[in-house]
Amino acid sequence: MAIERAQVEDIIKAVGGKDNIEASTHCVTRLRFALYDDKLVDKEALEQNDLVKGQFSSQGQYQVVIGPGLVDKVYDEMISITGGSRASKNDVKNAASKKQNPIQRAIKTLADIFIPILPAIVTAGLLLGINNILTGKGVFFEGMSLVQVYPQWTDFAAIINTIASTAFAFLPALIGWSAVVRFGGSPLLGIVLGLILVHPDLLSAYSYADAVTKGTVPVWDLFGWHVNKIGYQGQVLPVLVSAYVLAQIEKFLNKKIADSFKLLLVAPITLLITGFLAFTVIGPVTFMIGNAITSSLVYVFDLAPALGGLIYGGFYSLLVITGMHHTFLAVDVQLIGTQGGTFLWPMLALSNIAQGAGALAMMLVLKEQKGKGLALTSSVSAFLGVTEPAIFGVNIRYKYPFVFAMVGSGIAGILLTVNHVMASSIGVGGIPGFLSIFPNNWGVFFVGMAIVLIVPFALTFMYGKLLNKRRQTPATTPANDSVQTDSNCHHSALNVLEVKTPVLGHVVPLEQVPDPAFAERQMGQGIAVEPQDGRILAPFSGTVIHIMVKSKHALILEHPTGVQILVHVGINTVSLKGEGFTMHVETGQTVEQGQLLMEFDRQLIQKSGYPIITPVIVPDGQSMIESIEELPGEANNLQYVLLRIHLNSSSDHTN
């Protein structure tokens, strides 16, 4: 696609002009702006620009999706027009973070801490759900549990419970690791700090209330100063604040102590000071604050459960849009630690399902195939607990399915809170969320599940059909699905191109990619792979036409028919600046199917905090393509067909 200078000028004008651009950069697919004022962006003008395939704002950056192989040319032209200096992605990220207020920065910090440990929490939640099934009374037998009826299963359930509860029992160690990493300290010291706070010599926090009642709380006598000798199991604030203090002390000592003495002095001094502060000041104060927060929340929901359920259940999806939902992970954990369960998580699970039901209804309302496919796959994702594709890809775009989903989840929230439905663990959302619910609450929870399935679906379907009728949209002539060969075409024998997976791993729908540009198909159609290997092999024989030379995280291949494929390893991995990536081909090089293109360090990418999921995209605008079939499933070898592309017989494939 040719670039017209006027189109680039229109992009600059649409983002508020060059004076509104604080910094700008690009990756393999999009322009990234740190703007002084996002309100000056003319979204309609961007949508009408032929160069722009999508746009969105994320974490203070305004991102304009252009497409692979073209975005670098647009960026070069933009720099030429504005006279601005080139910036790195980190420069833009740092500039964008300045616009965030303290609350936004606090929310982002919590998200950065809790998201890396979510896999452990989700796993623990699933296993605890299995344990609930085995030990819950009334699940299979009236008034009795399965292990009571069949005692031979008792120890089996006990082992599952031990495995499942470990992540929650040593949660401060997980939080300590993630928090210290976020605050710039040593991960190992963060783990040790968390373990210190739950040391077996300490009175368990779960036993603290009984010990207070009996007057048996153990204490340390520090020269007449009595300090409670208690642990902080199930507590969030003590380890968060202690981790911040530890990181600051460690960084201070690293600056002041000579390199030859750091190994002997930095870690011991850091842990000693932080440990004493944690037990004497930080722990007692934050313990009271945490209990006060949870007690206040419990009091409000006990005082007006229906109102609490309506507000939290109905408006939870808005928290997802703002990113504030990550804040409540800490609240859920605190509730489980102090109250034995959380009444918030059941409403979250039903909110997931409600958004999925709204998106599923849109599959029947929408007429164009691309929208139908996105609605279906994103609804499945929401039913399994991941709502971002449904919310951002479908429901927010059309507004009314999002609102109707909120209505359904609000009604269900009232039902849950009035009946005091509780979850014993967190991490399992959507339909599988019932595993986290105490078995004696399953009946009410399943009624709530029926509400969030029926109400949003029915309202969205009826209102959508009514809108379609009012608009009186004329029926479009269906495309001819047959593919005919063209005798004048050099590749006349080829009318279907099968693209193999370029990396071994689990094949997943594009909607599961945690990036709107890919998930909303702004870049084009395709699918994604969760790599189980660190090698990218050629999905077909062709030519390497583009490589991200500095970052080495993405490349574009072109088939002799002219079909192009973008392979993008990870999300936001451009920030690694090539670290962990080894490219084995060059631009312009001809390759054979199965040939090694690049290698990447999976562990390094994941430890750096970036998703490893790898989108495989067919960029939009390729006239030789008639249709594309996406084939999700399990990739076992390179012969697995990832995409089946039907070529347009009227196109000239000779290039």
Side-chain angles (χ1 to χ4, degrees):
M1 180 178 179
I3 299 176
E4 296 182 8
R5 186 179 179 90
Q7 291 176 309
V8 181
E9 290 175 341
D10 288 341
I11 292 176
I12 297 170
K13 182 179 178 181
V15 298
K18 66 178 183 179
D19 292 335
N20 193 40
I21 302 174
E22 182 177 1
S24 66
T25 187
H26 76 92
C27 59
V28 72
T29 59
R30 71 204 76 171
L31 300 172
R32 298 171 181 261
F33 295 97
L35 303 176
Y36 289 108
D37 188 355
D38 284 2
K39 295 179 181 178
L40 298 179
V41 176
D42 187 341
K43 296 182 179 179
E44 185 176 347
L46 283 174
E47 289 176 358
Q48 294 174 354
N49 194 307
D50 291 338
L51 291 176
V52 178
K53 292 182 172 63
Q55 56 181 301
F56 60 94
S57 180
S58 175
Q59 298 181 354
Q61 295 181 36
Y62 204 89
Q63 303 186 27
V64 178
V65 181
I66 302 296
L70 192 61
V71 65
D72 50 348
K73 298 176 184 177
V74 173
Y75 182 73
D76 290 341
E77 187 69 23
M78 184 183 73
I79 293 297
S80 173
I81 295 172
T82 61
S85 58
R86 295 176 180 271
S88 68
K89 186 171 178 288
N90 285 335
D91 292 334
V92 175
K93 185 177 180 180
N94 292 335
S97 65
K98 298 176 184 177
K99 298 191 300 180
Q100 295 179 319
N101 59 45
I103 295 177
Q104 290 174 319
R105 287 196 292 269
I107 291 171
K108 183 180 183 301
T109 298
L110 281 176
D112 291 343
I113 291 171
F114 277 94
I115 288 177
I117 65 175
L118 268 182
I121 296 176
V122 169
T123 300
L126 281 170
L127 293 176
L128 283 174
I130 296 173
N131 181 69
N132 287 343
I133 294 174
L134 295 174
T135 60
K137 294 182 179 180
V139 177
F140 299 104
F141 306 97
E142 186 175 354
M144 299 184 71
S145 67
L146 187 143
V147 296
Q148 288 176 317
V149 176
Y150 299 104
Q152 60 268 34
W153 285 89
T154 301
D155 289 339
F156 181 79
I159 292 176
I160 292 178
N161 184 63
T162 299
I163 297 171
S165 61
T166 297
F168 289 105
F170 295 98
L171 186 63
L174 297 177
I175 296 176
W177 162 74
S178 189
V180 169
V181 170
R182 173 61 180 81
F183 296 134
S186 169
L188 181 60
L189 294 186
I191 295 172
V192 175
L193 172 65
L195 293 174
I196 288 172
L197 296 179
V198 292
H199 195 283
D201 283 351
L202 306 172
L203 172 70
S204 172
Y206 301 125
S207 305
Y208 177 70
D210 288 339
V212 170
T213 303
K214 298 176 182 177
T216 58
V217 178
V219 296
W220 281 301
D221 187 345
L222 303 179
F223 306 103
W225 180 18
H226 289 176
V227 177
N228 285 342
K229 188 180 177 181
I230 62 171
Y232 294 97
Q233 291 85 353
Q235 300 290 313
V236 175
L237 285 179
V239 67
L240 281 179
V241 177
S242 297
Y244 176 79
V245 171
L246 181 144
Q248 302 311 309
I249 294 174
E250 183 187 6
K251 287 189 286 187
F252 174 80
L253 293 176
N254 274 324
K255 292 179 181 178
K256 299 298 182 180
I257 296 177
D259 291 343
S260 56
F261 293 101
K262 283 182 179 179
L263 182 62
L264 294 175
L265 298 179
V266 172
I269 295 174
T270 300
L271 280 175
L272 193 63
I273 296 175
T274 307
F276 265 90
L277 289 175
F279 286 122
T280 59
V281 181
I282 298 173
V285 172
T286 54
F287 186 78
M288 288 189 296
I289 294 174
N291 285 337
I293 293 174
T294 53
S295 297
S296 300
L297 196 61
V298 171
Y299 174 78
V300 170
F301 273 82
D302 283 343
L303 183 67
L307 181 61
L310 176 65
I311 294 175
Y312 191 80
F315 291 96
Y316 178 79
S317 297
L318 290 178
L319 297 178
V320 175
I321 294 176
T322 62
M324 290 181 65
H325 62 301
H326 295 301
T327 306
F328 286 88
L329 286 173
V331 179
D332 277 308
V333 171
Q334 186 77 19
L335 282 170
I336 293 171
T338 57
Q339 305 293 322
T342 171
F343 47 80
L344 297 179
W345 192 264
M347 289 184 279
L348 174 151
L350 294 191
S351 178
N352 296 158
I353 300 171
Q355 291 296 331
L360 184 62
M362 289 303 294
M363 184 191 70
L364 303 179
V365 171
L366 297 173
K367 294 185 176 182
E368 49 96 14
Q369 290 301 316
K370 183 176 180 180
K372 284 179 175 290
L374 177 59
L376 175 61
T377 53
S378 63
S379 67
V380 173
S381 174
F383 289 149
L384 296 177
V386 181
T387 56
E388 282 81 357
I391 290 176
F392 294 106
V394 180
N395 296 352
I396 282 293
R397 182 179 299 179
Y398 297 98
K399 296 182 177 64
Y400 62 91
F402 182 76
V403 173
F404 291 145
M406 290 174 60
V407 171
S409 58
I411 296 172
I414 294 174
L415 176 71
L416 297 187
T417 51
V418 168
N419 289 278
H420 306 290
V421 175
M422 301 274 281
S424 60
S425 60
I426 65 173
V428 186
I431 293 175
F434 80 91
L435 292 171
S436 297
I437 309 302
F438 286 108
N440 61 316
N441 296 145
W442 277 6
V444 177
F445 185 79
F446 286 137
V447 173
M449 189 182 294
I451 291 173
V452 294
L453 282 169
I454 295 171
V455 172
F457 183 90
L459 292 178
T460 300
F461 177 77
M462 290 187 293
Y463 186 74
K465 288 295 184 182
L466 180 62
L467 283 183
N468 287 345
K469 187 175 181 180
R470 286 179 178 177
R471 292 167 183 163
Q472 295 181 342
T473 306
T476 56
T477 303
N480 183 6
D481 290 333
S482 63
V483 182
Q484 301 176 354
T485 58
D486 184 349
S487 59
N488 296 322
C489 173
H490 179 67
H491 296 276
S492 58
L494 178 63
N495 51 35
V496 175
L497 172 63
E498 292 187 345
V499 178
K500 314 297 182 181
T501 178
V503 59
L504 297 181
H506 302 291
V507 180
V508 297
L510 206 57
E511 287 75 21
Q512 293 188 19
V513 177
D515 184 296
F518 293 115
E520 297 177 14
R521 285 176 163 74
Q522 295 176 5
M523 293 302 311
Q525 298 187 63
I527 210 157
V529 182
E530 287 281 3
Q532 303 299 312
D533 189 16
R535 300 180 303 154
I536 297 295
L537 308 184
F540 51 65
S541 299
T543 304
V544 180
I545 65 169
H546 185 77
I547 290 175
M548 291 296 289
V549 179
K550 293 183 179 179
S551 59
K552 304 176 185 178
H553 73 293
L555 54 81
I556 302 175
L557 289 181
E558 184 175 271
H559 191 267
T561 59
V563 175
Q564 296 178 358
I565 295 289
L566 163 68
V567 181
H568 190 289
V569 179
I571 302 301
N572 288 328
T573 45
V574 65
S575 298
L576 293 175
K577 300 179 181 179
E579 185 181 1
F581 292 91
T582 303
M583 193 66 65
H584 292 282
V585 292
E586 299 177 349
T587 301
Q589 181 176 336
T590 301
V591 297
E592 298 296 326
Q593 181 181 327
Q595 181 175 335
L596 180 62
L597 303 179
M598 78 161 81
E599 293 181 283
F600 57 94
D601 189 331
R602 294 172 61 250
Q603 293 184 346
L604 185 147
I605 295 172
Q606 292 172 324
K607 287 181 180 179
S608 300
Y610 300 107
I612 196 68
I613 190 168
T614 298
V616 183
I617 303 294
V618 181
D620 284 335
Q622 300 186 47
S623 60
M624 74 288 298
I625 297 175
E626 181 179 88
S627 64
I628 301 176
E629 296 179 59
E630 299 175 5
L631 306 171
E634 192 76 16
N636 296 319
N637 53 60
L638 286 174
Q639 297 307 307
Y640 182 85
V641 178
L642 185 70
L643 300 167
R644 185 174 293 124
I645 302 173
H646 295 265
L647 303 177
N648 191 330
S649 59
S650 62
S651 299
D652 181 7
H653 306 328
T654 59
N655 291 329

